[in-house]
Amino acid sequence: MTASIMGIPDSAQAIVIGGGVAGCSVAYHLARLGWRDVVLVEQHELTEGTTWHSAGFVGQLRSTVTQTRMIMYSAGLYPELAELTGLDPGWHGVGGLRLATTHERVEELVRQAGAAETYGLDMSLLSGRQTNDLMPMLHDEDVLASLWLPGDGWLDPASLARALAEGAAKLGVRIVTGVRVTGVDVAEGAVRAIRLRGGGEDWVITTDTVVNCAGAAAGQVGALAGVDVPIVPIKHQYVVTHPADIPSSTPTVRDPDNIVYFREHEGGILVGGYIRTPEIWEAADPLARSRELFAPNLPKFRESWAAARHRLPVIAKRTTDDFDETQVARIVHGPEAFTPDGEFLLGETAVRGFWVAAGFCVHGLAAAGGVGKVMAEWIVDGVPEYDLFGMDVRRFGGYAGSSRWARTKALDSYAKYYDIVYPGEERTAARPLRRSPAWPRHADLDAAFGEKAGWERVNWFGSNTSGSNASGDGPRPLGWAGRVWSPAVREECLATRDAAGLFDQTSFAKLEVSGPGALDRLQRLCANQIDTKVGTVVYTQLLNRRGGIEADLTVTRLGEDSFRLVTGTAYGTHDAAWLRRNGLDVTDVTSAYACYCLWGPQAGEILERICDDDLGFPYLRARRISVANVPVLAQRVTFVGEYGWELYCPAEYGLTLWDALMAAGLPYGMRPGGYRAIDSMRLEKGYRVWGLDITPETTPYEAGLGFAVRADKDFLGKDALDPAPERTLRCLVLRDPRRVCLGGEPVRVDGVPASRVTSGGYGHRVDASIAYAYLRGEPEEVTVGVDGTWVEAVIEPRPPYDPGNERIRPPAP
């Protein structure tokens, strides 16, 4: 299986760096898709980086549908590998339990069970007694409930990697060990070759495709190509007890309330946990030595050990509270590659042809098969089957190049790995970082800040919860939707409806494309017609070859060959990369401009107080004006369904413009507003959000965006579009307005699982609970599972608020 060093070729179609489970899986799946001229290089022997000491858990249920589908694929692949390769991958399909010992965790399990229905994942929600019946060895007096996943299990990591490697080798992949990557040659922004050293000799392999699967050393390998890969090696520890006659059929168990997990291992118990005070592995050359381990640190492991003794009487009988090395057969304290948000790093970097599949964050063995599958599809076909934005290396901006930032975020992610994550909950690590020019004024108004892509963004203003104009709390949602909530959001929505709202959207990404040929290239990517008059704003999608939506944005024509594209806060790096990959030169000008949105029936009168220019230009038009002496590009665009403008100005004028707008607007009843109000109002109008309602897996026609498709022009993905799709995105209004969806809830038609909620919330202007879901056929009613309660919902054919779009027009005099 392993080639000799002398067999290193001069060129290859692709080179995979790293002989762990990630590299072996990527190489295997590339070969399955027909790329046989692939070389995998490893500086040691296979699996000797971080794979070999993995605990091997395979838990299918994750927080997103993509994560879950990837691991479901893995769980299906692993049992097949023995037949495919002749090697046993070490798969133990014993099932898995996830315990709840607090009422909050039970709520989480109920939501997860609902999500599992939408994934088609086999799962049962058990009571504490049923949990004990399934696994009598557990101490269950404090177990309130559990989830049982019969498809879960565990793997021997080295066996899995060897089986994947054998499968790759049988398909023609050349595997070379004992060679170290010393350089990556880059020219004109693209990979050209890699440099190797081994056995005292040097080699160069030319290639257009390199996949960095170097695990904890992926950051160092990325640096060879001039790429920041925000990998943080963190020390992770588990122990294995002496044999205690534990049956090999024992399910895996996770007890997140007590930060412990365990499974059977050679008749004993493997016990691991996520400590609250993790440590970074400070190494100038990570993984330079094979099978690297650290000295045991038992004081840090006491909490997980105590939890294991509590949960498993068989351990408590054989050990004492005074934990020392004599009580266990083995202690494994090794490095694991973590990322700033605890999610994988996958995809192509800013250097064309230089790909990353790293940052497995302890749970990588479970998803390794799925990672190999999607990476191979991405590399070979240009588009993976699943929506991978949450794992895309391009979800981070340039700020991720700061090792201090990456470390702070990664340590926080590790320490809170088993914490319940409530929708809308904000973490504070490494904040604040990026701030609007108006940030000081936001802080003065008691803003509740959230963070996205490093930006501090106002969720709501605490100042809007009191005063003579406050209209009361309104209906606080039941369940999880009411946990992160403020009456200020309602005030901001109603003020925007009745007078005006002022919103800071400086964080939205702004990309500029210009120069000869810009129109033709951009026209080829946009589904809508952008060859329009200068000053026109066009709403459009960028599609992949399958017709899926890769980006959702507005394009403003600033000149004959000059365009500004505005996209979501977190999507700038991703969208710019898509444009560049398709031949466009792109400049990210996000930080150069502030953007404030003035929306509402009084917006015109407010702006006229501080602007002498003609404001009578129509919807979806842009004009340069002066507002309170500030040069502004005003765009007649709205994301809340009210009359008004997006106002862009150079950043140095940003504070002046905010102050002028506030002074002019307050006498008219205007209020500053945050992103929670924007989200509420866009739900009422049926405006879609990329990453939730629309993704690379959905088409414009499915999403109800056919109006933004010009069938009389040519564009990427056009041939794959079906104007009459089997499923479409539908608006659901729940009959119980206090039951509010947050996304991911199961939807049933006639009692049969049919879909999941893409996004949801409360519409304050219409006083209704609103959700969206893709449905087949023409049902009139559905039921939605909200926090374990099934709620009837009516399907509305038109947006609940102002379906005729009257309010985006100038108010009557």
Side-chain angles (χ1 to χ4, degrees), residues 434-450 455-464 492 502-507 594-597 654-655 657-659 661-662 671-675:
R434 307 171 79 182
R435 290 183 271 187
S436 159
W439 182 88
R441 301 294 190 262
H442 301 338
D444 290 343
L445 293 171
D446 191 25
F449 288 104
W455 282 98
E456 294 294 310
R457 310 194 325 164
V458 178
N459 285 331
W460 62 77
F461 287 97
S463 60
N464 288 328
E492 293 162 12
L502 180 62
F503 301 88
D504 187 340
Q505 285 193 172
T506 298
S507 67
C595 175
Y596 307 129
C597 301
L655 187 57
L657 181 58
W658 177 270
D659 287 345
L661 291 168
M662 284 290 290
R671 291 196 179 199
Y675 279 86

Short mmCIF file of all heavy atoms in Angstrom, two decimals, residues 434-450 455-464 492 502-507 594-597 654-655 657-659 661-662 671-675:
data_model
loop_
_atom_site.label_atom_id
_atom_site.label_comp_id
_atom_site.label_asym_id
_atom_site.label_seq_id
_atom_site.Cartn_x
_atom_site.Cartn_y
_atom_site.Cartn_z
N ARG A 434 -14.74 44.21 15.26
CA ARG A 434 -15.08 45.14 14.17
C ARG A 434 -16.29 45.96 14.60
O ARG A 434 -17.31 45.41 15.04
CB ARG A 434 -15.39 44.35 12.89
CG ARG A 434 -14.30 43.38 12.50
CD ARG A 434 -14.73 42.46 11.36
NE ARG A 434 -14.65 43.11 10.06
CZ ARG A 434 -15.01 42.51 8.92
NH1 ARG A 434 -15.52 41.29 8.94
NH2 ARG A 434 -14.90 43.16 7.78
N ARG A 435 -16.20 47.28 14.43
CA ARG A 435 -17.27 48.14 14.92
C ARG A 435 -17.61 49.21 13.90
O ARG A 435 -16.74 49.78 13.25
CB ARG A 435 -16.88 48.78 16.25
CG ARG A 435 -16.83 47.80 17.39
CD ARG A 435 -16.52 48.46 18.71
NE ARG A 435 -15.09 48.54 18.96
CZ ARG A 435 -14.55 48.94 20.11
NH1 ARG A 435 -15.34 49.32 21.10
NH2 ARG A 435 -13.25 48.97 20.27
N SER A 436 -18.88 49.48 13.78
CA SER A 436 -19.38 50.56 12.92
C SER A 436 -18.93 51.91 13.47
O SER A 436 -18.71 52.06 14.68
CB SER A 436 -20.91 50.48 12.88
OG SER A 436 -21.47 51.71 12.49
N PRO A 437 -18.83 52.92 12.60
CA PRO A 437 -18.53 54.26 13.11
C PRO A 437 -19.53 54.74 14.15
O PRO A 437 -19.21 55.57 15.00
CB PRO A 437 -18.57 55.13 11.85
CG PRO A 437 -18.28 54.21 10.72
CD PRO A 437 -18.90 52.91 11.12
N ALA A 438 -20.76 54.24 14.08
CA ALA A 438 -21.80 54.68 15.02
C ALA A 438 -21.84 53.85 16.29
O ALA A 438 -22.72 54.07 17.14
CB ALA A 438 -23.16 54.63 14.34
N TRP A 439 -20.91 52.94 16.46
CA TRP A 439 -20.93 52.05 17.62
C TRP A 439 -21.00 52.80 18.95
O TRP A 439 -21.77 52.39 19.85
CB TRP A 439 -19.72 51.12 17.60
CG TRP A 439 -19.69 50.13 18.73
CD1 TRP A 439 -20.25 48.90 18.75
CD2 TRP A 439 -19.08 50.32 20.02
NE1 TRP A 439 -20.03 48.29 19.96
CE2 TRP A 439 -19.31 49.14 20.76
CE3 TRP A 439 -18.36 51.37 20.61
CZ2 TRP A 439 -18.85 48.97 22.06
CZ3 TRP A 439 -17.90 51.21 21.92
CH2 TRP A 439 -18.15 50.02 22.63
N PRO A 440 -20.26 53.88 19.15
CA PRO A 440 -20.37 54.59 20.44
C PRO A 440 -21.79 55.08 20.72
O PRO A 440 -22.24 55.06 21.87
CB PRO A 440 -19.40 55.76 20.29
CG PRO A 440 -18.43 55.33 19.24
CD PRO A 440 -19.23 54.52 18.28
N ARG A 441 -22.50 55.51 19.68
CA ARG A 441 -23.88 55.96 19.88
C ARG A 441 -24.79 54.77 20.21
O ARG A 441 -25.71 54.89 21.02
CB ARG A 441 -24.39 56.67 18.63
CG ARG A 441 -23.56 57.87 18.22
CD ARG A 441 -23.65 58.99 19.27
NE ARG A 441 -23.05 60.20 18.76
CZ ARG A 441 -21.80 60.61 19.04
NH1 ARG A 441 -21.02 59.86 19.84
NH2 ARG A 441 -21.33 61.73 18.53
N HIS A 442 -24.52 53.64 19.59
CA HIS A 442 -25.31 52.45 19.91
C HIS A 442 -25.13 52.08 21.38
O HIS A 442 -26.11 51.75 22.07
CB HIS A 442 -24.87 51.27 19.04
CG HIS A 442 -24.99 51.49 17.57
ND1 HIS A 442 -25.83 52.43 17.02
CD2 HIS A 442 -24.37 50.89 16.52
CE1 HIS A 442 -25.74 52.39 15.71
NE2 HIS A 442 -24.85 51.46 15.38
N ALA A 443 -23.90 52.12 21.84
CA ALA A 443 -23.63 51.77 23.24
C ALA A 443 -24.35 52.74 24.18
O ALA A 443 -24.88 52.33 25.23
CB ALA A 443 -22.13 51.78 23.49
N ASP A 444 -24.38 54.02 23.82
CA ASP A 444 -25.08 55.02 24.66
C ASP A 444 -26.57 54.72 24.76
O ASP A 444 -27.22 55.11 25.74
CB ASP A 444 -24.88 56.42 24.08
CG ASP A 444 -23.45 56.91 24.23
OD1 ASP A 444 -22.69 56.33 25.04
OD2 ASP A 444 -23.08 57.86 23.51
N LEU A 445 -27.12 54.04 23.77
CA LEU A 445 -28.55 53.73 23.75
C LEU A 445 -28.83 52.33 24.30
O LEU A 445 -29.89 51.76 24.06
CB LEU A 445 -29.08 53.84 22.32
CG LEU A 445 -29.10 55.26 21.72
CD1 LEU A 445 -29.43 55.21 20.25
CD2 LEU A 445 -30.08 56.14 22.47
N ASP A 446 -27.87 51.81 25.06
CA ASP A 446 -28.04 50.51 25.72
C ASP A 446 -28.31 49.41 24.71
O ASP A 446 -29.20 48.58 24.88
CB ASP A 446 -29.18 50.59 26.75
CG ASP A 446 -29.23 49.36 27.66
OD1 ASP A 446 -28.17 48.71 27.83
OD2 ASP A 446 -30.33 49.04 28.16
N ALA A 447 -27.52 49.38 23.66
CA ALA A 447 -27.69 48.36 22.63
C ALA A 447 -27.32 46.98 23.16
O ALA A 447 -26.34 46.82 23.90
CB ALA A 447 -26.83 48.69 21.41
N ALA A 448 -28.12 45.98 22.80
CA ALA A 448 -27.76 44.58 23.04
C ALA A 448 -27.05 44.11 21.78
O ALA A 448 -27.67 43.96 20.72
CB ALA A 448 -29.01 43.74 23.30
N PHE A 449 -25.75 43.91 21.88
CA PHE A 449 -24.94 43.60 20.70
C PHE A 449 -24.86 42.10 20.46
O PHE A 449 -24.72 41.29 21.39
CB PHE A 449 -23.53 44.15 20.85
CG PHE A 449 -23.43 45.64 20.75
CD1 PHE A 449 -23.24 46.41 21.89
CD2 PHE A 449 -23.51 46.28 19.53
CE1 PHE A 449 -23.15 47.79 21.82
CE2 PHE A 449 -23.42 47.65 19.43
CZ PHE A 449 -23.23 48.42 20.59
N GLY A 450 -24.94 41.75 19.20
CA GLY A 450 -24.59 40.42 18.75
C GLY A 450 -23.33 40.50 17.91
O GLY A 450 -22.82 41.60 17.65
N TRP A 455 -18.12 41.38 13.43
CA TRP A 455 -18.77 42.67 13.56
C TRP A 455 -19.67 42.71 14.81
O TRP A 455 -20.40 41.76 15.09
CB TRP A 455 -19.66 42.97 12.35
CG TRP A 455 -18.94 43.43 11.13
CD1 TRP A 455 -18.56 42.65 10.06
CD2 TRP A 455 -18.52 44.76 10.82
NE1 TRP A 455 -17.94 43.42 9.12
CE2 TRP A 455 -17.90 44.72 9.55
CE3 TRP A 455 -18.62 45.97 11.49
CZ2 TRP A 455 -17.37 45.85 8.94
CZ3 TRP A 455 -18.09 47.10 10.88
CH2 TRP A 455 -17.47 47.04 9.63
N GLU A 456 -19.62 43.82 15.52
CA GLU A 456 -20.59 44.08 16.57
C GLU A 456 -21.85 44.66 15.91
O GLU A 456 -21.79 45.71 15.26
CB GLU A 456 -20.03 45.08 17.59
CG GLU A 456 -18.85 44.55 18.38
CD GLU A 456 -19.24 43.39 19.28
OE1 GLU A 456 -20.23 43.52 20.04
OE2 GLU A 456 -18.56 42.35 19.23
N ARG A 457 -22.96 43.96 16.08
CA ARG A 457 -24.21 44.38 15.45
C ARG A 457 -25.30 44.47 16.51
O ARG A 457 -25.40 43.63 17.40
CB ARG A 457 -24.64 43.37 14.37
CG ARG A 457 -23.53 43.02 13.40
CD ARG A 457 -24.01 42.32 12.16
NE ARG A 457 -25.11 41.40 12.36
CZ ARG A 457 -25.85 40.93 11.36
NH1 ARG A 457 -25.60 41.31 10.11
NH2 ARG A 457 -26.83 40.08 11.57
N VAL A 458 -26.14 45.47 16.38
CA VAL A 458 -27.20 45.70 17.36
C VAL A 458 -28.32 44.68 17.15
O VAL A 458 -28.92 44.61 16.07
CB VAL A 458 -27.76 47.13 17.24
CG1 VAL A 458 -28.91 47.32 18.25
CG2 VAL A 458 -26.67 48.16 17.48
N ASN A 459 -28.61 43.91 18.18
CA ASN A 459 -29.79 43.05 18.14
C ASN A 459 -31.06 43.85 18.44
O ASN A 459 -32.08 43.69 17.79
CB ASN A 459 -29.66 41.89 19.12
CG ASN A 459 -28.69 40.83 18.63
OD1 ASN A 459 -28.51 40.65 17.43
ND2 ASN A 459 -28.05 40.14 19.56
N TRP A 460 -30.99 44.69 19.46
CA TRP A 460 -32.06 45.62 19.80
C TRP A 460 -31.49 46.70 20.72
O TRP A 460 -30.38 46.56 21.24
CB TRP A 460 -33.25 44.93 20.47
CG TRP A 460 -32.92 44.27 21.78
CD1 TRP A 460 -32.75 44.87 22.99
CD2 TRP A 460 -32.72 42.87 22.00
NE1 TRP A 460 -32.44 43.95 23.95
CE2 TRP A 460 -32.43 42.71 23.37
CE3 TRP A 460 -32.77 41.74 21.18
CZ2 TRP A 460 -32.18 41.46 23.93
CZ3 TRP A 460 -32.51 40.51 21.75
CH2 TRP A 460 -32.22 40.37 23.10
N PHE A 461 -32.21 47.78 20.88
CA PHE A 461 -31.80 48.87 21.75
C PHE A 461 -32.60 48.82 23.05
O PHE A 461 -33.84 48.91 23.04
CB PHE A 461 -32.01 50.22 21.07
CG PHE A 461 -31.01 50.51 19.98
CD1 PHE A 461 -31.32 50.26 18.65
CD2 PHE A 461 -29.77 51.03 20.29
CE1 PHE A 461 -30.40 50.54 17.64
CE2 PHE A 461 -28.84 51.31 19.29
CZ PHE A 461 -29.16 51.06 17.97
N GLY A 462 -31.88 48.69 24.16
CA GLY A 462 -32.55 48.70 25.45
C GLY A 462 -33.31 49.98 25.71
O GLY A 462 -34.30 50.00 26.44
N SER A 463 -32.87 51.08 25.10
CA SER A 463 -33.54 52.36 25.28
C SER A 463 -34.96 52.34 24.75
O SER A 463 -35.77 53.21 25.10
CB SER A 463 -32.74 53.47 24.58
OG SER A 463 -32.62 53.20 23.19
N ASN A 464 -35.28 51.37 23.90
CA ASN A 464 -36.62 51.30 23.33
C ASN A 464 -37.62 50.53 24.19
O ASN A 464 -38.75 50.29 23.78
CB ASN A 464 -36.57 50.64 21.94
CG ASN A 464 -35.96 51.56 20.89
OD1 ASN A 464 -36.09 52.77 20.97
ND2 ASN A 464 -35.26 50.97 19.93
N GLU A 492 -39.45 48.59 18.01
CA GLU A 492 -38.71 48.97 16.82
C GLU A 492 -39.50 48.63 15.55
O GLU A 492 -39.50 49.41 14.58
CB GLU A 492 -37.34 48.28 16.83
CG GLU A 492 -36.44 48.81 17.95
CD GLU A 492 -35.27 47.92 18.29
OE1 GLU A 492 -34.99 46.98 17.51
OE2 GLU A 492 -34.64 48.14 19.34
N LEU A 502 -34.40 53.50 12.07
CA LEU A 502 -33.05 53.73 11.56
C LEU A 502 -32.20 52.53 11.94
O LEU A 502 -32.05 52.22 13.13
CB LEU A 502 -32.47 55.01 12.13
CG LEU A 502 -31.04 55.38 11.68
CD1 LEU A 502 -30.99 55.61 10.17
CD2 LEU A 502 -30.54 56.60 12.43
N PHE A 503 -31.62 51.88 10.95
CA PHE A 503 -30.89 50.64 11.16
C PHE A 503 -29.47 50.77 10.61
O PHE A 503 -29.27 51.31 9.52
CB PHE A 503 -31.60 49.48 10.47
CG PHE A 503 -33.01 49.27 10.94
CD1 PHE A 503 -34.06 49.95 10.34
CD2 PHE A 503 -33.28 48.40 11.99
CE1 PHE A 503 -35.37 49.77 10.78
CE2 PHE A 503 -34.58 48.22 12.42
CZ PHE A 503 -35.63 48.91 11.83
N ASP A 504 -28.52 50.25 11.36
CA ASP A 504 -27.11 50.28 10.96
C ASP A 504 -26.76 48.96 10.28
O ASP A 504 -26.69 47.92 10.94
CB ASP A 504 -26.22 50.50 12.19
CG ASP A 504 -24.77 50.72 11.83
OD1 ASP A 504 -24.36 50.35 10.72
OD2 ASP A 504 -24.03 51.25 12.68
N GLN A 505 -26.57 48.99 8.97
CA GLN A 505 -26.18 47.80 8.22
C GLN A 505 -24.76 47.93 7.66
O GLN A 505 -24.43 47.37 6.61
CB GLN A 505 -27.18 47.53 7.09
CG GLN A 505 -28.50 46.96 7.58
CD GLN A 505 -29.37 46.39 6.49
OE1 GLN A 505 -30.38 45.77 6.76
NE2 GLN A 505 -28.99 46.59 5.24
N THR A 506 -23.91 48.64 8.39
CA THR A 506 -22.52 48.80 7.96
C THR A 506 -21.83 47.46 7.78
O THR A 506 -20.95 47.30 6.92
CB THR A 506 -21.77 49.66 8.99
OG1 THR A 506 -22.37 50.96 9.04
CG2 THR A 506 -20.30 49.79 8.64
N SER A 507 -22.23 46.47 8.57
CA SER A 507 -21.55 45.18 8.52
C SER A 507 -21.82 44.41 7.23
O SER A 507 -21.06 43.49 6.90
CB SER A 507 -21.99 44.31 9.70
OG SER A 507 -23.36 43.95 9.58
N ALA A 594 -19.82 53.12 5.54
CA ALA A 594 -20.91 52.88 6.50
C ALA A 594 -22.21 52.79 5.71
O ALA A 594 -22.32 53.32 4.60
CB ALA A 594 -20.98 54.02 7.51
N CYS A 595 -23.19 52.10 6.30
CA CYS A 595 -24.50 51.99 5.66
C CYS A 595 -25.58 52.08 6.72
O CYS A 595 -25.61 51.27 7.65
CB CYS A 595 -24.63 50.68 4.89
SG CYS A 595 -26.29 50.43 4.20
N TYR A 596 -26.47 53.07 6.56
CA TYR A 596 -27.61 53.21 7.46
C TYR A 596 -28.88 53.14 6.64
O TYR A 596 -28.97 53.70 5.55
CB TYR A 596 -27.55 54.54 8.22
CG TYR A 596 -26.24 54.75 8.94
CD1 TYR A 596 -25.52 55.95 8.78
CD2 TYR A 596 -25.69 53.77 9.75
CE1 TYR A 596 -24.31 56.15 9.44
CE2 TYR A 596 -24.47 53.96 10.39
CZ TYR A 596 -23.79 55.15 10.23
OH TYR A 596 -22.59 55.34 10.87
N CYS A 597 -29.87 52.46 7.18
CA CYS A 597 -31.14 52.26 6.47
C CYS A 597 -32.23 53.05 7.18
O CYS A 597 -32.49 52.83 8.37
CB CYS A 597 -31.49 50.78 6.41
SG CYS A 597 -30.22 49.79 5.58
N GLY A 654 -19.25 58.41 8.81
CA GLY A 654 -20.30 57.58 9.36
C GLY A 654 -20.92 58.10 10.64
O GLY A 654 -22.15 58.08 10.80
N LEU A 655 -20.11 58.56 11.56
CA LEU A 655 -20.65 59.06 12.83
C LEU A 655 -21.45 60.34 12.61
O LEU A 655 -22.53 60.53 13.19
CB LEU A 655 -19.52 59.29 13.83
CG LEU A 655 -19.94 59.66 15.25
CD1 LEU A 655 -20.86 58.60 15.85
CD2 LEU A 655 -18.71 59.85 16.13
N LEU A 657 -23.08 61.20 9.89
CA LEU A 657 -24.35 60.88 9.24
C LEU A 657 -25.33 60.27 10.23
O LEU A 657 -26.52 60.62 10.24
CB LEU A 657 -24.10 59.92 8.06
CG LEU A 657 -25.35 59.52 7.27
CD1 LEU A 657 -26.05 60.74 6.69
CD2 LEU A 657 -24.98 58.52 6.16
N TRP A 658 -24.88 59.39 11.09
CA TRP A 658 -25.78 58.78 12.08
C TRP A 658 -26.38 59.86 12.99
O TRP A 658 -27.59 59.88 13.23
CB TRP A 658 -25.04 57.74 12.92
CG TRP A 658 -25.90 57.14 14.00
CD1 TRP A 658 -26.03 57.58 15.28
CD2 TRP A 658 -26.77 56.01 13.88
NE1 TRP A 658 -26.92 56.78 15.98
CE2 TRP A 658 -27.38 55.82 15.14
CE3 TRP A 658 -27.08 55.15 12.83
CZ2 TRP A 658 -28.30 54.80 15.38
CZ3 TRP A 658 -27.99 54.13 13.08
CH2 TRP A 658 -28.59 53.95 14.32
N ASP A 659 -25.52 60.75 13.48
CA ASP A 659 -26.01 61.81 14.37
C ASP A 659 -27.04 62.69 13.68
O ASP A 659 -28.06 63.08 14.27
CB ASP A 659 -24.84 62.66 14.87
CG ASP A 659 -23.98 61.94 15.91
OD1 ASP A 659 -24.45 60.91 16.44
OD2 ASP A 659 -22.85 62.40 16.16
N LEU A 661 -29.03 61.91 11.13
CA LEU A 661 -30.28 61.18 10.92
C LEU A 661 -31.06 61.03 12.23
O LEU A 661 -32.29 61.16 12.24
CB LEU A 661 -29.97 59.80 10.33
CG LEU A 661 -29.44 59.79 8.89
CD1 LEU A 661 -28.90 58.41 8.54
CD2 LEU A 661 -30.54 60.19 7.91
N MET A 662 -30.37 60.81 13.31
CA MET A 662 -31.05 60.68 14.61
C MET A 662 -31.70 62.02 14.99
O MET A 662 -32.87 62.06 15.42
CB MET A 662 -30.06 60.24 15.68
CG MET A 662 -29.69 58.77 15.61
SD MET A 662 -31.05 57.67 16.08
CE MET A 662 -31.15 58.00 17.86
N ARG A 671 -37.32 55.59 15.59
CA ARG A 671 -36.51 54.92 16.60
C ARG A 671 -35.37 54.16 15.93
O ARG A 671 -35.54 53.63 14.82
CB ARG A 671 -37.35 53.92 17.39
CG ARG A 671 -38.38 54.56 18.31
CD ARG A 671 -38.88 53.58 19.33
NE ARG A 671 -39.86 54.20 20.21
CZ ARG A 671 -40.19 53.72 21.39
NH1 ARG A 671 -39.61 52.62 21.83
NH2 ARG A 671 -41.09 54.32 22.14
N PRO A 672 -34.21 54.10 16.57
CA PRO A 672 -33.17 53.21 16.05
C PRO A 672 -33.61 51.77 16.28
O PRO A 672 -34.29 51.46 17.26
CB PRO A 672 -31.95 53.57 16.91
CG PRO A 672 -32.54 54.05 18.21
CD PRO A 672 -33.82 54.75 17.83
N GLY A 673 -33.22 50.90 15.37
CA GLY A 673 -33.64 49.50 15.48
C GLY A 673 -32.48 48.56 15.24
O GLY A 673 -31.43 48.94 14.70
N GLY A 674 -32.68 47.30 15.62
CA GLY A 674 -31.64 46.29 15.48
C GLY A 674 -32.02 45.16 14.54
O GLY A 674 -33.10 45.16 13.92
N TYR A 675 -31.16 44.17 14.48
CA TYR A 675 -31.33 43.09 13.51
C TYR A 675 -32.48 42.15 13.86
O TYR A 675 -33.04 41.51 12.96
CB TYR A 675 -30.02 42.31 13.38
CG TYR A 675 -29.05 43.00 12.46
CD1 TYR A 675 -28.18 43.98 12.94
CD2 TYR A 675 -29.02 42.71 11.10
CE1 TYR A 675 -27.30 44.64 12.09
CE2 TYR A 675 -28.14 43.36 10.24
CZ TYR A 675 -27.29 44.32 10.75
OH TYR A 675 -26.42 44.98 9.90
#
